[in-house]
Amino acid sequence: MPTFTASDGTGLTYQVLGDGPPLVCVPGGPGRAGVYLAGLAGAVGRRSLIALDNRGTGASEEPADPESYRMERLVDDIEALRAHLGLERMDLLGHSSAGNTALLYALRRPERVARLVLLAPSTRAVGIGVDDFEEALARRADEDWYESARAGIKGWLGAHTIADSMPHREQAAPFFYGRWDEAAREHARAETRELSEPAAAGFYADVTLDPAEVRAAAAASATPVLVVTGELDPFPTPATGQRLAALLPHGESYVQPGAGHYMWLDDPEALGGALAGFLARPV
């Protein structure tokens, strides 16, 4: 697995999946190894998907300073990866919680980002809440797994530590997939072995960002941004993604029909069509 060194000396790794122009991908979780993004390679067409293992996850080293797990500090690791790859400018994708990190990178280093894709992004950095979370859960009330998964959501939200949340996360997982089939079950089960508890706990710990400042920077951004949400995803919901896209002068929203949080598993062709169209545009 290819390796490079972050600015603080931490050794980091990444995978290269597919052939063609690179699409640098930052995994979420937070704290999940980049391997869970592997299926995304089938949706991006003739591109090389560069899937980072964030510090402390996958084969990447744990940092000496636990504070460097914070989302705003991980921006430096994206820059180190870009420099290692020798890319003057890059197409960048952030999934889930890494939507925060990828957006922050694009705002701090706009000259390095050609296009930005935010896939099912967390919107904490810009201070946007998921106001219709309960309504999104209720839309799945006819599913045979609903009552069990709803109890899982309650337990997850009530957990005090990442370790305490893990059994509840797996129980709640059906809400985050458009189809709760065997592929989705295996993808959800894998989270337990792919998640780093220190990296997960440190991502949002003592974050120093001012959301108002981030929103102001976003409002001045010239970077083309595609915000992708799944129609059935409760976190973020399509309405949340649309609010984020509306903050960005060159932002646009795509809602994938029938999809959840991991939309490449639900319909890779639909996702691939949206990504291909956006990534092919001249900048």
Side-chain angles (χ1 to χ4, degrees), residues 29-30 151-173 188 191-192 195-197 200-201:
I153 289 285
K154 182 178 180 180
W156 186 354
L157 295 177
H160 296 294
T161 67
I162 297 297
D164 289 344
S165 75
M166 290 308 295
H168 304 294
R169 290 160 76 113
E170 187 169 344
Q171 186 179 3
E191 184 180 32
T192 300
L195 194 79
S196 160
E197 291 181 19

Side-chain angles (χ1 to χ4, degrees), residues 63-75:
D65 178 9
E67 292 189 0
S68 67
Y69 283 128
R70 291 206 308 263
M71 64 178 176
E72 69 268 34
R73 296 277 297 272
L74 293 180
V75 170

Side-chain angles (χ1 to χ4, degrees), residues 191-260:
E191 184 180 32
T192 300
R193 61 179 180 270
E194 294 168 0
L195 194 79
S196 160
E197 291 181 19
F203 187 80
Y204 291 120
D206 301 318
V207 168
T208 58
L209 293 171
D210 181 345
E213 292 181 359
V214 180
R215 287 196 300 272
S221 173
T223 302
V225 183
L226 177 64
V227 180
V228 182
T229 50
E231 178 187 16
L232 301 176
D233 193 353
F235 198 91
T237 60
T240 308
Q242 288 161 354
R243 289 178 64 193
L244 174 60
L247 283 178
L248 298 150
H250 301 278
E252 57 189 275
S253 169
Y254 169 68
V255 178
Q256 184 171 320

Side-chain angles (χ1 to χ4, degrees), residues 45-105:
R46 297 178 180 177
R47 305 290 299 241
S48 294
L49 192 152
I50 312 295
L52 175 67
D53 277 340
N54 287 311
R55 54 183 52 218
T57 73
S60 289
E61 294 179 354
E62 295 184 0
D65 178 9
E67 292 189 0
S68 67
Y69 283 128
R70 291 206 308 263
M71 64 178 176
E72 69 268 34
R73 296 277 297 272
L74 293 180
V75 170
D76 294 337
D77 293 347
I78 299 176
E79 172 60 11
L81 176 57
R82 181 206 61 80
H84 166 77
L85 295 171
L87 301 174
E88 187 67 23
R89 298 177 79 201
M90 62 182 171
D91 290 331
L92 178 64
L93 181 150
H95 177 249
S96 193
S97 57
N100 294 298
T101 315
L103 176 60
L104 291 172
Y105 179 85

Side-chain angles (χ1 to χ4, degrees), residues 142-192:
D142 291 336
E143 302 278 5
D144 58 8
W145 45 257
Y146 177 80
E147 293 299 335
S148 173
R150 193 71 181 80
I153 289 285
K154 182 178 180 180
W156 186 354
L157 295 177
H160 296 294
T161 67
I162 297 297
D164 289 344
S165 75
M166 290 308 295
H168 304 294
R169 290 160 76 113
E170 187 169 344
Q171 186 179 3
F175 279 114
F176 297 92
Y177 296 86
R179 293 190 311 274
W180 188 234
D181 55 15
E182 186 51 40
R185 290 184 180 92
E186 176 53 35
H187 194 264
R189 286 192 293 264
E191 184 180 32
T192 300

